[in-house]
Structures are given as C-alpha cells and as structure tokens.
Amino acid sequence: MMYSLLILKRAQKELAKLPDKMYQIIRDEIRSLAHNPRPSGCKKLFGRDGWRIRVGDYRVLYDIEDNQHTVIVYHIGHRKDIYQ
C-alpha cells in the first residue's frame, strides 16, 4: 500500500538549499518512502520520535503514521548538524 508524503515547510526549505546533485538524490529517496517507509538501513531515533534514513553525508528525519498511511518529512540536513 502506498503512503502519502507530507514535507513540512522547514524541510522544503532545507531541501531547496542543497546542492543540485544532492537535491535530486534526496528527492528521489524521499519519494521512495511512499512505497516503503521503513527501507533497509533506516533507524528509529533514540530520545525523540521519528525515523531517519542516510543519504551520503545527509540525513532525512521523518515520522510514520501507519493508521493514516502518511510519511511526514520534518528535517533534512548534513549529518554534523542534523541531531542538534
């Protein structure tokens, strides 16, 4: 079953600021979450709600609402800055 994607404004702005090549790669990874919200390599976050996927040196943080079949992307950034 397909999940709907919701990218919060903050994440949209962070995505827009990425270099063109990374923008395209991360955009495609986010789209793939609609088909499989828990891909291989994803991890449940400790100390806060949500999941994360790694895309090179960047991380995409998101929540999964299984009852509504929705993936909510709320933060995209470089690994050195994302968890602060």
Side-chain angles (χ1 to χ4, degrees):
M1 170 162 272
M2 288 269 297
Y3 280 66
S4 60
L5 289 173
L6 175 63
I7 303 174
L8 299 182
K9 270 256 198 248
R10 172 183 175 182
Q12 289 175 9
K13 289 179 183 180
E14 293 166 341
L15 185 60
K17 290 179 182 178
L18 295 176
D20 287 338
K21 185 174 181 179
M22 283 312 299
Y23 171 86
Q24 293 173 2
I25 294 169
I26 292 175
R27 179 197 62 203
D28 293 342
E29 288 295 323
I30 291 172
R31 285 181 180 165
S32 73
L33 292 174
H35 299 285
N36 182 11
R38 293 178 185 91
S40 126
C42 77
K43 287 204 175 182
K44 181 87 171 91
L45 296 176
F46 294 106
R48 64 168 138 174
D49 292 335
W51 296 78
R52 72 115 169 105
I53 55 171
R54 298 187 322 186
V55 184
D57 286 340
Y58 290 86
R59 305 294 183 260
V60 177
L61 304 182
Y62 61 98
D63 276 330
I64 302 170
E65 294 184 3
D66 286 313
N67 57 345
Q68 297 176 354
H69 296 288
T70 304
V71 173
I72 303 168
V73 177
Y74 61 86
H75 199 29
I76 302 167
H78 194 275
R79 65 186 181 133
K80 69 179 180 177
D81 302 322
I82 196 84
Y83 300 111
Q84 297 176 6

